Amino acid sequence: MGCFSSYCQICGVATNHHGLVPMGNRMYKIYRGEANETEKPYPFVSINHDWLKRCVAIPLESDGSPLLGNVCDGDLTTNDGQVIDVEDGVGEAVVVHEACWNLAGRGDYSTFAHVAESSAWKEIEEKYHKQWFPWNEISDPIILLDPTVCERNRERILSMLQTPLEETTSLSS
């Protein structure tokens, strides 16, 4: 079993707080957000960053129901224990932050599938999509702030959602 980050298929940011914490001598500790972990990969502030952990698995086909839960190592686990494979963002279902899904109108996958082909999403992918989200390399911390309270991040995400399909088609050609 590999350990890796999963990424929201709307905003492109990690779907949890997991990451690597440098321990010296090119060694790293995996941070998973457990209560007993003192070293963190980023100075998380609950009011700003807890939204990253509230996720939704959206079925690839429109005949399934979305499921809310937390993501760890490519799986979303619901409160009642259901486990859905979401890989690094797309598996049995796609994973998105609940806040991003709300901004997208809570639609099925077809309503936002084009976003991951946009130049804005590809820019985030190129910078930050690695085995683990590189928290210490964030050049614009706005992307980590809750879009329900941070207008700049909300506008960024809404702009990505409104990317014309023509742009995404030309990028993949």
Side-chain angles (χ1 to χ4, degrees):
M1 169 196 246
C3 298
F4 49 87
S5 290
S6 296
Y7 301 96
C8 175
Q9 298 302 295
I10 294 176
C11 76
V13 178
T15 57
N16 54 38
H17 293 177
H18 298 181
L20 297 177
V21 178
M23 301 303 288
N25 297 328
R26 298 187 316 200
M27 299 293 290
Y28 292 88
K29 174 183 150 188
I30 297 173
Y31 172 79
R32 295 188 182 281
E34 303 295 326
N36 62 347
E37 293 179 285
T38 54
E39 300 93 1
K40 298 179 181 181
Y42 188 82
F44 298 112
V45 179
S46 59
I47 193 166
N48 292 330
H49 304 113
D50 279 355
W51 75 281
L52 295 167
K53 300 186 288 186
R54 292 189 298 273
C55 296
V56 183
I58 310 289
L60 292 171
E61 304 299 326
S62 60
D63 59 349
S65 297
L67 298 167
L68 288 103
N70 296 313
V71 176
C72 182
D73 293 333
D75 292 326
L76 180 136
T77 305
T78 65
N79 287 341
D80 66 358
Q82 281 186 273
V83 177
I84 298 91
D85 172 31
V86 294
E87 293 298 325
D88 61 351
V90 181
E92 293 174 53
V94 297
V95 68
V96 296
H97 297 114
E98 184 178 16
C100 295
W101 186 49
N102 288 335
L103 289 173
R106 300 176 66 91
D108 64 27
Y109 179 52
S110 68
T111 64
F112 60 84
H114 66 283
V115 174
E117 295 300 321
S118 70
S119 57
W121 201 92
K122 294 288 186 189
E123 183 180 334
I124 290 172
E125 178 182 42
E126 190 174 300
K127 275 184 172 177
Y128 303 125
H129 290 199
K130 300 177 180 171
Q131 181 175 1
W132 292 95
F133 192 76
W135 299 99
N136 59 343
E137 296 174 20
I138 298 296
S139 59
D140 186 1
I142 292 298
I143 69 172
L144 303 179
L145 299 179
D146 186 341
T148 64
V149 294
C150 177
E151 187 174 340
R152 277 188 55 210
N153 198 25
R154 180 174 49 255
E155 292 304 318
R156 178 187 76 86
I157 295 166
L158 288 171
S159 174
M160 292 170 77
L161 286 163
Q162 295 167 359
T163 301
L165 290 176
E166 298 81 41
E167 178 193 344
T168 60
T169 304
S170 66
L171 286 173
S172 59
S173 302

